[in-house]
Amino acid sequence: MTDDEDLILTEALGAVGAAGGGSGGRFGAKFAARRLKKNVHEVELTVGGVSPAEAAGRTADLLLRMGTPVRTAGAQPPDGVRIVRALVGGGFGNMNPVLVTVTLTGTGQEATEVRVRGAAKEGLIKQRAGEKTARQVSTLLTQHLPAPRG
């Protein structure tokens, strides 16, 4: 697998096209997807009382319930940083694949910084699937991870 958001989203849209359109569905969907703009949104929050590894485990469980995990190849993140990715459904009827990338960084014994990034391809009708999904995931994470002590 690759780390390239555009390629991951193009392949995901190709799979949707293959499932819903005749023999040329996959090719047509991938062709169109390469020409679409992305809707990207990031949400930052801080959680307390958990290490990045524990927070990553809980995040992976949450994203697994929402969609399909995405394994990527490439450079390893620095020590103290965990990255969890998944493709989840967004937009009308949850038919638009959204790549959610959650980066967890340890900021001490009592806190982990969390960045939730949602990216989705946008057609003529702007659904803001990347933005809406990033906000949804960050809300769910705040419910499943403890708030920082302070």
Side-chain angles (χ1 to χ4, degrees), residues 72-84:
T72 56
Q76 293 286 37
D79 287 339
V81 176
R82 304 273 194 223
I83 298 174
V84 181

Side-chain angles (χ1 to χ4, degrees), residues 16 66 87-98 127 129 133 136:
V16 171
M66 295 179 73
L87 276 169
V88 302
F92 180 73
N94 287 334
M95 298 267 310
N96 190 6
V98 179
Q127 299 182 49
T133 304
Q136 176 188 17

Side-chain angles (χ1 to χ4, degrees), residues 64-127:
L64 184 59
R65 285 181 285 194
M66 295 179 73
T68 306
V70 173
R71 301 205 190 288
T72 56
Q76 293 286 37
D79 287 339
V81 176
R82 304 273 194 223
I83 298 174
V84 181
R85 294 179 114 179
L87 276 169
V88 302
F92 180 73
N94 287 334
M95 298 267 310
N96 190 6
V98 179
L99 180 61
V100 177
T101 304
V102 181
T103 305
L104 304 112
T105 306
T107 56
Q109 287 185 337
E110 295 299 318
T112 299
E113 182 179 297
V114 180
R115 175 177 290 150
V116 179
R117 177 181 173 94
K121 294 289 188 166
E122 286 281 310
L124 292 175
I125 299 171
K126 305 299 179 205
Q127 299 182 49

Side-chain angles (χ1 to χ4, degrees), residues 29-95:
K30 287 172 68 172
F31 180 82
R34 284 193 285 272
R35 285 146 183 81
L36 296 174
K37 292 181 180 180
K38 274 192 305 191
N39 171 251
V40 177
H41 187 74
E42 292 186 358
V43 178
E44 293 184 10
L45 53 122
T46 302
V47 297
V50 293
S51 69
E54 185 180 347
R58 292 184 190 185
T59 301
D61 289 343
L62 174 69
L63 291 180
L64 184 59
R65 285 181 285 194
M66 295 179 73
T68 306
V70 173
R71 301 205 190 288
T72 56
Q76 293 286 37
D79 287 339
V81 176
R82 304 273 194 223
I83 298 174
V84 181
R85 294 179 114 179
L87 276 169
V88 302
F92 180 73
N94 287 334
M95 298 267 310

